[in-house]
C-alpha cells in the first residue's frame, strides 16, 4: 500500500488501513449472540426498553460499550504496551488480589468485584493482561528463541495469577492462562521438549491442587460426572446430561428459532452464559453450529493473518495470544456442552451474556485491529 508508514490524517486513511473482514466477523458473532440470548431468556421477539433487569437489554449496553472501547484502543499505540507490560501485569494482579478483599461469590467462586451492572471479573481482563505481559517480555529479544531463563521468568509471571485463580477457585480460567502462555512460548521459539515439560508441569499442578483439598467439592463433582455421566443423573450429573440431550435434540436443522422445548423449559441452567451453545444446538441444529464455527474461523484466521504480517515481534506475539484465547474458549465451551470436556464455566466470546467477557474480547480485538492499522500508518 502506498500510504505505508505515513501519518493517519483522515477518515479515508482509516478506511484504507482497516481490516473489515475482522470487524464484520465480530459484528456477525455479536448479532448471533444477541439472537441466542434473546431465546435463552424466553423472549420471542426483539424489543428494547429501559428495563435493565433483562439480560438482553444489559447485553446491548455492553455491546455498545465494547464497540466504543474497540475504536478507542484501535488508536492506542501498542508500542507503549510493549514498553510497560510490567505495569499492565501489576495492575491486573492487583485486580485479582482485590477479589479476595472486596469480591462477591458467584457460581461457587469468589471472582467478582463491584455491584449490579458495574460488577466485573478481573480474571477476564487478566487474559489480555497476561498476553501483553508475556508477549512484552519475550519480544524484548528481537532475535533468537526462548532460553531457559526466559522460560522460568515466564512461568513465574503466569504462576502467580494461577495460584490466585485456584484459591478463588476458578480452575477453568487457570487452564486458559496455561494454554495461552504455552502457545505464546511456542510462537516465540521455545523448543518443543520444553513446551511438553510445561504442559506436564501444568497438569501436575492441577492434580496436586485437587489432592491438596483446595478445590471445592462441586468442582470435583464436575470431574466425576465427566468421567461417568451416568453417576447421579438427577443430581450432580443433571446439567451435563441435559446439555447433551438439548444439543442432540436439534438434529440437522433444529426445531426453529424460539421453538426449543428444552430451552423454553430451562432444563439446562445458565443457558444465556456458559451453556448458550445448547440454545443454538436445539433451535438451529447442526447447520446453526456450522455457521457459528465458520464465523469463528473467519475471526480467528483474521487475527492470525494480522499477526503474520505485523511489523514487530510484540504485535505478532500479541495477535497469536488472542487467536489462542479465542480458540481455547471455542473448543472448551462447545466441548463442555456436548460432553467431551468437564464443566469449567468458560463462555463463548461475543456470544455468551456477560459484560466482563464481552468487553475483554472487544479490547483484545481492538488492539489486534490496531496492529493491522499500524502496518500502514504511524499514529
Amino acid at each position: 500500500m502506498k500510504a505505508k508508514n505515513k501519518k493517519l490524517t483522515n477518515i479515508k486513511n482509516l478506511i484504507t488501513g482497516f481490516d473489515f473482514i475482522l470487524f464484520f466477523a465480530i459484528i456477525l458473532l455479536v448479532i448471533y449472540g444477541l439472537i441466542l440470548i434473546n431465546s435463552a431468556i424466553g423472549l420471542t421477539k426483539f424489543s428494547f426498553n429501559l428495563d435493565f433487569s433483562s439480560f438482553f437489554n444489559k447485553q446491548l449496553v455492553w455491546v455498545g460499550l465494547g464497540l466504543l472501547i474497540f475504536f478507542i484502543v484501535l488508536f492506542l499505540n501498542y508500542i507503549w504496551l510493549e514498553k510497560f507490560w510490567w505495569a499492565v501485569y501489576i495492575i491486573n494482579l492487583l485486580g485479582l488480589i482485590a477479589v479476595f478483599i472486596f469480591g462477591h461469590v458467584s457460581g461457587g467462586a469468589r471472582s467478582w468485584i463491584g455491584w449490579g451492572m458495574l460488577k466485573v471479573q478481573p480474571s477476564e481482563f487478566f487474559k489480555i493482561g497476561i498476553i501483553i505481559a508475556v508477549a512484552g517480555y519475550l519480544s524484548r529479544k528481537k532475535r533468537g528463541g526462548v532460553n531457559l531463563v526466559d522460560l522460568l521468568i515466564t512461568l513465574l509471571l503466569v504462576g502467580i495469577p494461577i495460584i490466585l485463580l485456584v484459591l478463588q477457585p476458578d480452575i477453568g480460567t487457570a487452564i486458559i492462562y496455561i494454554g495461552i502462555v504455552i502457545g505464546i512460548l511456542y510462537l516465540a521459539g521455545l523448543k518443543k521438549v520444553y513446551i511438553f515439560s510445561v504442559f506436564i508441569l501444568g497438569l501436575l499442578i492441577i492434580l496436586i491442587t485437587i489432592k491438596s483439598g483446595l478445590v471445592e467439592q462441586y468442582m470435583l463433582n464436575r470431574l466425576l460426572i465427566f468421567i461417568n455421566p451416568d453417576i447421579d443423573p438427577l443430581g450432580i450429573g443433571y446439567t451435563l446430561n441435559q446439555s447433551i440431550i438439548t444439543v442432540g435434540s436439534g438434529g440437522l436443522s433444529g426445531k426453529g428459532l424460539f421453538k426449543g422445548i428444552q430451552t423454553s423449559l430451562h432444563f439446562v441452567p445458565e443457558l444465556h452464559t456458559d451453556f448458550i451453545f445448547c440454545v443454538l444446538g436445539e433451535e438451529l441444529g447442526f447447520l446453526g453450529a456450522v455457521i457459528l464455527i465458520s464465523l469463528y474461523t473467519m475471526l480467528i484466521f483474521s487475527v492470525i493473518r494480522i499477526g503474520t504480517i505485523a511489523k514487530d515481534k510484540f504485535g505478532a506475539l500479541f495477535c497469536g495470544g488472542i487467536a489462542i484465547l479465542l480458540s481455547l474458549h471455542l473448543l472448551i465451551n462447545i466441548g463442555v456442552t456436548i460432553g467431551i470436556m468437564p464443566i469449567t464455566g468458560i463462555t463463548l466470546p461475543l456470544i455468551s451474556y456477560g459484560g466482563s467477557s464481552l468487553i475483554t474480547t472487544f479490547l483484545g480485538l481492538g488492539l489486534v485491529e490496531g496492529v493491522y492499522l499500524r502496518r500502514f500508518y504511524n499514529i
Side-chain angles (χ1 to χ4, degrees):
M1 182 179 290
K2 293 181 180 180
K4 188 173 182 178
N5 296 324
K6 290 186 177 181
K7 288 286 184 181
L8 180 67
T9 57
N10 53 49
I11 296 296
K12 182 179 179 181
N13 291 159
L14 174 61
I15 293 174
T16 57
F18 194 81
D19 190 326
F20 283 96
I21 296 177
L22 175 74
F23 187 68
F24 285 153
I26 293 170
I27 296 302
L28 290 174
L29 280 167
V30 167
I31 293 172
Y32 209 165
L34 288 171
I35 292 172
L36 294 175
I37 291 171
N38 199 72
S39 180
I41 63 177
L43 300 179
T44 57
K45 62 180 181 179
F46 295 102
S47 63
F48 178 76
N49 51 51
L50 297 179
D51 177 18
F52 291 106
S53 62
S54 165
F55 290 122
F56 180 75
N57 289 344
K58 288 180 182 178
Q59 189 76 346
L60 283 175
V61 174
W62 290 125
V63 168
L65 183 57
L67 283 170
L68 178 63
I69 290 173
F70 177 90
F71 284 104
I72 289 175
V73 299
L74 168 63
F75 294 100
L76 175 67
N77 193 338
Y78 67 83
I79 193 67
W80 292 104
L81 295 177
E82 180 182 1
K83 289 181 178 179
F84 297 104
W85 62 264
W86 51 271
V88 174
Y89 179 84
I90 291 173
I91 291 170
N92 278 275
L93 194 61
L94 291 174
L96 280 187
I97 295 172
V99 165
F100 294 94
I101 304 172
F102 309 106
H104 304 288
V105 176
S106 178
R110 186 177 294 275
S111 305
W112 303 83
I113 55 176
W115 296 268
M117 284 196 68
L118 297 179
K119 189 168 64 175
V120 296
Q121 191 173 5
S123 59
E124 283 292 319
F125 295 101
F126 209 160
K127 290 173 183 176
I128 305 299
I130 201 68
I131 293 172
I132 292 172
V134 175
Y137 173 73
L138 295 178
S139 64
R140 80 197 194 289
K141 293 170 59 177
K142 302 305 177 185
R143 296 181 181 179
V146 179
N147 58 36
L148 186 58
V149 174
D150 294 329
L151 173 60
L152 293 176
I153 292 176
T154 301
L155 291 179
L156 177 63
L157 289 174
V158 71
I160 297 172
I162 283 177
I163 291 172
L164 294 174
L165 286 171
V166 169
L167 293 175
Q168 287 185 8
D170 188 354
I171 303 298
T173 302
I175 292 172
I176 294 290
Y177 283 25
I178 293 170
I180 288 171
V181 171
I182 290 176
I184 295 178
L185 283 168
Y186 173 77
L187 295 174
L190 182 65
K191 293 181 180 179
K192 293 181 180 179
V193 63
Y194 288 144
I195 291 175
F196 180 74
S197 299
V198 172
F199 177 73
I200 296 299
L201 178 62
L203 289 179
L204 286 174
I205 291 172
I206 292 172
L207 289 174
I208 292 171
T209 302
I210 292 172
K211 285 287 187 179
S212 68
L214 291 173
V215 179
E216 298 287 340
Q217 184 60 45
Y218 79 92
M219 299 197 76
L220 295 177
N221 290 340
R222 290 177 175 180
L223 286 174
L224 289 174
I225 62 171
F226 169 67
I227 296 170
N228 185 0
D230 294 326
I231 294 178
D232 194 10
L234 297 179
I236 61 174
Y238 177 81
T239 298
L240 180 60
N241 281 291
Q242 290 300 320
S243 174
I244 296 171
I245 292 170
T246 301
V247 173
S249 67
L252 178 63
S253 57
K255 299 174 181 176
L257 194 60
F258 308 128
K259 296 179 180 179
I261 298 173
Q262 297 279 113
T263 297
S264 62
L265 295 177
H266 294 277
F267 281 105
V268 182
E270 305 298 334
L271 275 174
H272 60 300
T273 54
D274 302 349
F275 287 91
I276 198 164
F277 188 77
C278 291
V279 180
L280 183 151
E282 182 180 23
E283 298 187 351
L284 302 176
F286 177 76
L287 295 179
V290 169
I291 293 172
L292 178 78
I293 294 172
S294 297
L295 290 174
Y296 270 117
T297 301
M298 183 192 306
L299 177 65
I300 293 169
F301 272 88
S302 293
V303 175
I304 293 172
R305 178 175 54 83
I306 291 172
T308 60
I309 62 176
K311 67 179 183 180
D312 53 45
K313 187 174 182 179
F314 176 78
L317 291 179
F318 178 81
C319 290
I322 295 297
I324 294 165
L325 171 63
L326 294 171
S327 300
L328 287 172
H329 268 265
L330 178 65
L331 292 172
I332 293 174
N333 182 275
I334 295 178
V336 166
T337 57
I338 62 177
I340 62 173
M341 288 187 180
I343 297 173
T344 53
I346 299 298
T347 58
L348 265 180
L350 302 174
I351 298 291
S352 296
Y353 168 81
S356 295
S357 173
L358 192 65
I359 289 177
T360 297
T361 307
F362 270 113
L363 174 62
L365 292 172
L367 290 171
V368 169
E369 187 73 74
V371 171
Y372 183 76
L373 185 62
R374 275 160 191 77
R375 186 169 173 266
F376 304 117
Y377 297 101
N378 293 318
I379 302 176

